[in-house]
Amino acid sequence: MDPQEKAKQLYEARRTGVPVPPLTDADPTLGADEGYLIQQELVKLLLADGDRIVGHKVGLTSKPMQQMLGLDSPDFAPVLESTVYADGAEVSVGSFIQPKIEAEIMFVMGERLQGPGVTADDARAAVSGVAASMEIVDSRIVDWKIRLADTIADLASCGAVARSDRLVPLSEVDVQLVEMVFRRNGELVDNGAGRAALGDPLGVVAWLANTLGERGVALEPGQLIMTGALHAAVPMAAGEVYRAEFDRLGPVTVRVVD
């Protein structure tokens, strides 16, 4: 396997908007380890363009998604500065290939956190607060025909992040019990609760700190941590307005334009 060559394929797909066939079609032996090697090379290319890592996303945190891909563990990828939008922002559908949108609980780190041995209580002590957010997932793989290595290599299918600027202290909210209602153009689409993310979003932060710690990477102050979808991702199109209303955290809105 040549991780640099495969990373270049994904890089070009991001640049041109033309998806590529599944990497695992050409090499069915690719697994998670190979996927992360490709992801590392892709990140190098994106950082060389002047982008910057401002956080991390954890995906596949719900049991249905893990079962769909035959997994028993989440995946992860960095969040890049160029992909972060403010609450209420207009997002161009043309910036993506085949986007879907989902509501998530987001933490902002207050202190450095690095595994091994990090617990959910350690994560609670290290974050500065929690906020409402949405992730736009996108795949540079044709028709979302992804296996585990494909999505890992492709930045865990991360497209963009929209975040509320309201940061709520953890003393004011139990993130496991936070309820969320997801609407498109005012109509109810889905709902969910914080416990959909591995049973506890703070457990997701701990898992990420321990997993990155094995690679010598820490969660740094100020970084955003996306903890996984609370419902099934929804295909998005121009002209739609999405609003996720979180108990105690407040709303976050995205307007999709051409």
Side-chain angles (χ1 to χ4, degrees):
M1 183 197 75
D2 184 345
Q4 292 181 331
E5 178 56 36
K6 295 186 184 305
K8 287 177 182 176
Q9 293 177 32
L10 293 170
Y11 176 85
E12 285 301 309
R14 296 172 69 92
R15 187 181 67 82
T16 63
V18 179
V20 298
L23 305 180
T24 51
D25 278 2
D27 187 352
T29 66
L30 295 180
D33 290 343
E34 292 78 12
Y36 285 118
L37 289 175
I38 299 166
Q39 182 191 111
Q40 289 173 15
E41 295 300 325
L42 175 57
V43 171
K44 288 178 186 177
L45 294 172
L46 297 170
L47 297 184
D49 284 343
D51 220 329
R52 186 170 69 94
I53 293 173
V54 295
H56 303 271
K57 70 152 287 185
V58 182
L60 305 177
T61 55
S62 69
K63 289 300 182 185
M65 284 301 297
Q66 290 182 10
Q67 290 167 358
M68 187 180 80
L69 290 179
L71 308 173
D72 59 4
S73 178
D75 66 354
F76 64 89
V79 172
L80 299 172
E81 185 175 43
S82 66
T83 68
V84 179
Y85 292 83
D87 178 23
E90 290 188 345
V91 178
S92 171
V93 72
S95 302
F96 308 96
I97 296 176
Q98 42 200 345
K100 303 179 182 182
I101 190 165
E102 55 194 37
E104 303 191 14
I105 288 174
M106 183 192 78
F107 294 103
V108 177
M109 299 304 300
E111 301 175 5
R112 193 172 191 268
L113 187 66
Q114 184 171 10
V118 171
T119 67
D121 285 340
D122 296 329
R124 175 183 293 277
V127 303
S128 61
V130 56
S133 72
M134 284 189 267
E135 182 183 0
I136 297 171
V137 292
D138 193 21
S139 183
R140 276 58 63 165
I141 305 295
V142 171
D143 295 334
W144 278 96
K145 293 180 178 176
I146 54 172
R147 298 184 179 91
L148 179 60
D150 297 304
T151 185
I152 288 175
D154 189 23
L155 299 192
S157 301
C158 188
V161 169
R163 56 164 297 187
S164 169
D165 59 3
R166 180 187 178 199
L167 197 63
V168 178
L170 285 179
S171 59
E172 298 181 11
V173 60
D174 184 336
V175 291
Q176 291 176 279
L177 301 180
V178 167
E179 298 286 341
M180 183 280 306
V181 174
F182 193 64
R183 301 182 189 276
R184 176 178 53 221
N185 297 337
E187 298 294 325
L188 177 65
V189 175
D190 212 334
N191 55 52
R195 56 185 173 272
L198 285 187
D200 180 1
L202 285 167
V204 175
V205 178
W207 176 89
L208 179 64
N210 288 325
T211 302
L212 289 179
E214 295 173 359
R215 300 164 182 264
V217 177
L219 306 184
E220 301 291 353
Q223 286 188 335
L224 316 178
I225 309 298
M226 303 292 292
T227 59
L230 304 184
H231 61 99
V234 178
M236 59 181 241
E240 296 173 339
V241 177
Y242 286 92
R243 181 179 176 90
E245 300 165 352
F246 290 79
D247 176 41
R248 299 189 181 275
L249 304 183
V252 60
T253 301
V254 163
R255 303 177 185 278
V256 188
V257 298
D258 286 329

